Amino acid sequence: MEPVIGIIGGSGLYQIAELADAEWHEVATPFGAPSDALLHGRIDGTRTVFLPRHGRGHVQTPSSVPYRANVAAMKAAGVTHLVSVSAVGSFREEMAPGDFVIVDQFIDRTFAREKSFFGPGLVAHVSVAHPVCPALSGACAKAARQAGAKVHEGATYLVMEGPQFSTLAESRLYRDWGCDVIGMTNMPEAKLAREAELHYASVAMVTDYDSWHPEHGSVQITEIIETLHGNVARAAGLVAALPGHLGASCDAGCETALDHAVITAPEARDPAMVERLHGIAGRLLTGDAPS
């Protein structure tokens, strides 16, 4: 099956000019409306679907982003490989503003978001021990370097609720925990992508040093926006180069993540939940995989 690339763009990335035959399509999902319409097109002949995470004009806060609807919309559009592009602060001197970081782990500190497609009447426990697709992450690293970015591979992303930035004490604590970058949006997105059995990768674009750095002080939104402009140009280059690097096959089980995850017995499953989850877990709920 040919891959279909999905791009969820974070702060500063609200459209992709590189898409050929681009058209916006309004969509609805059983989990509500996504952040915006989906932009369908092709890059180097590969079907690509783009969604601005915060909506055009940046109207959604990190807490109000409809994460379930966003991932469900991508799945319904046929996306197989979902790439998150987001702005982050850095806890590491070597991960400087303007650098790209390919994330492979998360610490989820959010508390005001729906974090699963499943629920009462249809319970599932999916593993997120390794929450990203290594093959897709590797392709993103190669594409980012081709676009001229300085790239760091392998990092832990602390996901905070926001919308405020960290206190100095929090920033120091997260550094002590071994976190590398901090942002507000990759959770529950990564967990939902795993439940939807999508290949998922996180490309974090560093805009600042959070508040821990003695020479940079507190985070200033004007400085972040200035750095974002440069990052967005390289992000567009990454997206344009990505189809050429998707050759590696995934052996991490992304496409079968729900095998053995559903706990609710078939006879006890809520029919309304089964119907609601058809677009996410239809492969499993229709009996095509073990439960």
Side-chain angles (χ1 to χ4, degrees), residues 95-289:
M95 296 179 181
D99 291 359
F100 280 30
V101 180
I102 309 300
V103 174
D104 62 356
Q105 284 294 330
F106 300 95
I107 294 178
D108 187 358
R109 297 282 290 171
T110 65
F111 53 81
R113 310 173 188 189
E114 294 285 351
K115 299 190 178 186
S116 178
F117 291 112
F118 297 87
L122 190 50
V123 180
H125 299 282
V126 67
S127 173
V128 288
H130 302 285
V132 303
C133 173
L136 181 56
S137 296
C140 288
K142 293 176 182 177
R145 290 192 177 100
Q146 184 175 331
K150 181 178 179 181
V151 179
H152 307 269
E153 293 186 71
T156 297
Y157 179 142
L158 187 290
V159 192
M160 65 186 297
E161 186 65 44
Q164 300 86 358
F165 296 117
S166 306
T167 67
L168 176 58
E170 289 170 334
S171 194
R172 288 171 173 168
L173 174 64
Y174 300 150
R175 270 174 50 85
D176 288 344
W177 282 0
C179 300
D180 300 296
V181 296
I182 183 169
M184 304 178 187
T185 57
N186 273 201
M187 283 293 176
E189 190 176 271
K191 292 176 178 176
L192 295 167
R194 178 54 49 86
E195 286 188 346
E197 298 188 320
L198 300 176
H199 303 279
Y200 180 84
S202 172
V203 179
M205 306 182 299
V206 178
T207 60
D208 60 89
Y209 279 118
D210 204 52
S211 57
W212 67 271
H213 201 295
E215 296 179 8
H216 291 264
S218 60
V219 178
Q220 299 295 326
I221 192 64
T222 53
E223 296 175 5
I224 289 176
I225 291 173
E226 183 178 346
T227 305
L228 270 176
H229 290 157
N231 284 349
V232 166
R234 287 185 288 273
L238 181 159
V239 172
L242 185 57
H245 296 285
L246 285 182
S249 61
C250 170
D251 58 3
C254 300
E255 296 175 344
T256 56
L258 288 177
D259 284 5
H260 313 292
V262 176
I263 303 300
T264 307
E267 66 274 12
R269 295 172 184 171
D270 180 353
M273 283 290 287
V274 172
E275 181 178 358
R276 190 183 195 200
L277 283 160
H278 179 76
I280 297 298
R283 179 189 71 83
L284 180 115
L285 298 177
T286 55
D288 295 335

Side-chain angles (χ1 to χ4, degrees), residues 9-99:
S11 298
L13 187 60
Y14 307 114
Q15 60 183 359
I16 297 182
E18 289 74 15
L19 280 179
D21 304 319
E23 292 185 353
W24 290 95
H25 294 279
E26 297 281 350
V27 297
T29 81
F31 303 92
S35 296
D36 205 328
L38 301 183
L39 182 62
H40 290 251
R42 289 185 177 273
I43 293 179
D44 196 22
T46 300
R47 279 187 58 206
T48 303
V49 183
F50 172 74
L51 173 65
R53 185 186 285 113
H54 297 280
R56 284 168 287 180
H58 204 112
V59 296
Q60 297 286 353
T61 73
S63 299
S64 69
V65 169
Y67 294 97
R68 294 194 298 178
N70 287 354
V71 174
M74 285 291 192
K75 177 84 172 184
V79 166
T80 57
H81 293 69
L82 183 60
V83 178
S84 162
V85 181
S86 57
V88 298
S90 170
F91 292 130
R92 305 296 160 201
E93 186 88 41
E94 65 274 17
M95 296 179 181
D99 291 359

